[in-house]
Amino acid sequence: MYDWHFAALRTRHLMQFATWNVNSLNIRLPQVLDWLATHPVDVLALQELKMADDKFPIQAFTEAGWHAAWLGQKTYNGVALISKQPARDVQRNNPHFTDDHARLIAATFDAPNGESVRVIGGYFPNGQAPDSDKFVYKMAWLDALRTWVKAEMQIQPNFLIMGDYNITFDALDVWDPETLEGTIHCTQAERDQLQALIALGLTDSVRLFEQPEKNYSWWDYRDFAFRRNRGLRIDHVLISDALKAKASKAYVDKAPRKNERPSDHAPVVFEATF
């Protein structure tokens, strides 16, 4: 007797999504290509390209078998989506927020079962300090982002937004929560904004699965912070309920942080079964 249930399980396919703030693609391009060669994810969101649009190394990605959509900015910011298949319906920056900074890029990708996934990759503002103009900008930027995310989620059930959020969820995301409480990335105002995104129907994918203690995604270059694991978890992959039902794994890949001349961030990877 043919086991249709077993056959269905065998024909399921993984889709993998990752985010990585590379802190200069000029410097880190070989590391990105090496990582993709050993971690052939379906979509990799990059942040802090730090290059103008015309300087994006599309030929290097194409020669390695990858597609790319990007939004560059000379010296600062810059985001990209590197993918196995061409991106569809690409949107650069938030249509609900006029911004001179290259911080957001969205695209749709086909899933193996005929469905599709809408992806937003983002480099969220740092905010500098709670009493600064840059913090005011961060709050306004996050308000507008929520408007856009809500609209996107109504169109596409399979939705995720990943990137460098520059916000921790709570004390578990901070190596020294008592000292850093109320400082940038750890203020109540920022965390309220993050929870407001969650309230739209999103889930922190990493916390769906058991993780190591003191699980961070960013470490300062100074004071041997990575060696001492004095970090923050500020890079996140938030997923819709439809993707939550398909979630199979999520983790921080700390290995690239051990590279020579590494980014100060590590990739965060999310897997879903379609």
Side-chain angles (χ1 to χ4, degrees):
M1 185 176 183
Y2 192 75
D3 191 335
W4 291 101
H5 178 68
F6 179 70
L9 286 176
R10 285 193 306 171
T11 56
R12 288 182 179 177
H13 298 278
L14 278 180
M15 284 193 81
Q16 298 177 311
F17 305 85
T19 179
W20 190 4
N21 180 326
V22 292
N23 191 16
S24 176
L25 188 56
N26 271 326
I27 296 172
R28 246 66 71 174
L29 177 60
Q31 295 183 39
V32 172
L33 291 171
D34 286 348
W35 190 84
L36 285 169
T38 56
H39 300 77
V41 297
D42 291 87
V43 184
L44 171 62
L46 300 177
Q47 301 89 45
E48 284 205 88
L49 307 181
K50 296 184 177 180
M51 58 175 54
D53 270 341
D54 61 351
K55 301 297 183 183
F56 186 85
I58 183 59
Q59 183 175 348
F61 285 109
T62 301
E63 289 176 352
W66 297 92
H67 298 274
W70 65 92
L71 175 62
Q73 184 175 348
K74 185 179 180 180
T75 309
Y76 302 103
N77 307 316
V79 288
L81 296 174
I82 312 302
S83 55
K84 289 180 178 177
Q85 58 179 273
R88 295 192 286 109
D89 304 322
V90 177
Q91 169 69 46
R92 292 170 173 84
N93 267 345
N94 185 350
H96 302 276
F97 187 77
T98 302
D99 197 356
D100 294 331
H101 296 174
R103 293 190 176 277
L104 290 164
I105 188 165
T108 301
F109 301 92
D110 294 325
N113 64 346
E115 297 180 45
S116 58
V117 182
R118 186 65 170 170
V119 175
I120 295 180
Y123 176 47
F124 290 41
N126 180 289
Q128 192 175 51
D131 59 352
S132 69
D133 291 342
K134 291 183 178 180
F135 193 84
V136 174
Y137 161 72
K138 184 174 189 173
M139 293 295 105
W141 190 94
L142 288 164
D143 286 340
L145 176 68
R146 196 163 60 252
T147 299
W148 186 29
V149 167
K150 184 177 181 180
E152 292 285 351
M153 290 179 68
Q154 290 172 348
I155 298 169
Q156 175 54 265
N158 293 317
F159 172 87
L160 64 83
I161 176 168
M162 57 182 171
D164 176 2
Y165 280 61
N166 274 313
I167 307 172
T168 59
F169 271 97
D170 50 39
L172 292 177
D173 291 341
V174 184
W175 75 272
D176 185 357
E178 291 187 9
T179 301
L180 296 176
E181 183 73 24
T183 63
I184 199 65
H185 312 314
C186 307
T187 67
Q188 192 59 52
E190 292 169 289
R191 289 173 173 172
D192 287 347
Q193 288 278 7
L194 196 48
Q195 289 301 327
L197 273 176
I198 293 291
L200 295 178
L202 294 170
T203 297
D204 173 13
S205 63
V206 165
R207 289 198 179 170
L208 286 175
F209 303 93
E210 186 175 352
Q211 302 292 336
E213 290 186 12
K214 299 182 178 180
N215 188 39
Y216 310 129
S217 64
W218 172 89
W219 302 261
D220 201 312
Y221 288 124
R222 298 168 295 182
D223 300 325
F224 304 102
F226 180 67
R227 187 182 303 175
R228 301 159 81 181
N229 199 25
R230 294 185 169 185
L232 301 173
R233 190 173 74 101
I234 55 176
D235 303 86
H236 307 299
V237 182
L238 303 189
I239 58 174
S240 64
D241 287 343
L243 284 182
K244 181 180 177 181
K246 300 175 175 72
S248 53
K249 191 175 184 180
Y251 63 95
V252 180
D253 181 8
K254 297 181 181 179
R257 188 61 175 81
K258 301 173 185 177
N259 291 342
E260 186 177 347
R261 299 188 74 196
S263 169
D264 45 355
H265 294 254
V268 180
V269 183
F270 165 68
E271 297 181 357
T273 304
F274 285 80

